[in-house]
Amino acid sequence: DSGVTQTPKHLITATGQRVTLRCSPRSGDLSVYWYQQSLDQGLQFLIQYYNGEERAKGNILERFSAQQFPDLHSELNLSSLELGDSALYFCASSGQREVSTDTQYFGPGTRLTVL
Amino acid sequence: LAKTTQPISMDSYEGQEVNITCSHNNIATNDYITWYQQFPSQGPRFIIQGYKTKVTNEVASLFIPADRKSSTLSLPRVSLSDTAVYYCLVGEGNLANTNAGKSTFGDGTTLTVKP
């Protein structure tokens, strides 16, 4: 158990819909990362937040957005969903201090299926 | 950002030592090298991290030559349960730097351990 929790575990929805994925980081971790992993593909970095502020952006679509709240949990919002958005979405956390070796601890993931 | 290159797949037998090499020719001065293990439908799990020379923990060893342009993950006496995808990740360790979090996972090495 990494200490990172993600809800829901599974999500099935239809094209055009909007969903919200939730992540609670390890206690004390300030950074949250979101990744997308499609079937048989590698991890695609989407976005990182550090202590409530956006820190780094990867290949995140404009239809996707995220935020980190004062209690440090994070939400990833996916809108106008398309079939190709079906994937595993992972959240990771790190950084109990601002200067750190940035080891990332991953949650169990949310499996999104768009029908 | 340092791009990493790993073999796509490797086969081994139970009880053997496995060495997986990752090339990262453009590694920057502040970059750390981190290895993760991922089982199907699970989030990646931290294995080991290093900056230079050799690092050893209860799971693996990491060898980094002086020029740091490559690194080798060594798994002693593998078992069937070590069958997984192994990712080499090179990235900024200092979260105060705006490049932190942009560490990109490559395609990984699929290790198959046979009985």
Side-chain angles (χ1 to χ4, degrees), chain A residues 31 33 35 37 41-45 48 50 55-57 88 90 94-109 111, chain B residues 32 34 36 38-46 49 87 89 91-108:
Chain A
S31 260
Y33 309 76
Y35 292 86
Q37 188 171 39
Q41 291 192 11
L43 288 152
Q44 299 292 319
F45 169 69
Q48 179 210 359
Y50 175 78
R55 178 57 64 90
K57 226 169 184 175
L88 264 170
F90 289 107
S94 74
Q96 298 196 351
R97 299 168 294 138
E98 183 160 356
V99 177
S100 80
T101 53
D102 199 32
T103 299
Q104 297 181 37
Y105 295 88
F106 284 77
R111 181 174 294 282
Chain B
Y32 283 78
T34 311
Y36 292 84
Q38 186 181 27
F39 298 111
S41 298
Q42 293 186 26
R45 184 176 70 100
F46 170 83
Q49 183 179 72
Y87 291 98
L89 189 66
E92 171 61 58
N94 182 348
L95 292 177
N97 187 305
T98 54
N99 278 327
K102 287 186 179 175
S103 314
T104 303
F105 283 82
D107 293 333

Side-chain angles (χ1 to χ4, degrees), chain A residues 7-113:
Chain A
T7 55
K9 205 169 184 179
H10 301 277
L11 197 49
I12 301 174
T13 188
T15 54
Q17 294 299 305
R18 172 189 169 95
V19 297
T20 297
L21 313 182
R22 182 187 168 100
C23 168
S24 292
R26 290 189 323 157
S27 177
D29 278 359
L30 299 175
S31 260
V32 168
Y33 309 76
W34 286 98
Y35 292 86
Q36 178 193 57
Q37 188 171 39
S38 302
L39 193 64
D40 295 330
Q41 291 192 11
L43 288 152
Q44 299 292 319
F45 169 69
L46 296 178
I47 198 165
Q48 179 210 359
Y49 280 82
Y50 175 78
N51 204 18
E53 294 185 0
E54 183 183 303
R55 178 57 64 90
K57 226 169 184 175
N59 299 321
I60 187 167
L61 300 172
E62 285 192 15
R63 301 183 286 108
F64 296 180
S65 65
Q67 54 183 328
Q68 186 179 27
F69 295 86
D71 67 353
L72 301 176
H73 90 272
S74 178
E75 292 181 356
L76 178 67
N77 301 297
L78 315 176
S79 61
S80 304
L81 285 167
E82 302 174 0
L83 295 177
D85 297 327
S86 295
L88 264 170
Y89 289 84
F90 289 107
C91 166
S93 76
S94 74
Q96 298 196 351
R97 299 168 294 138
E98 183 160 356
V99 177
S100 80
T101 53
D102 199 32
T103 299
Q104 297 181 37
Y105 295 88
F106 284 77
T110 293
R111 181 174 294 282
L112 173 67
T113 303

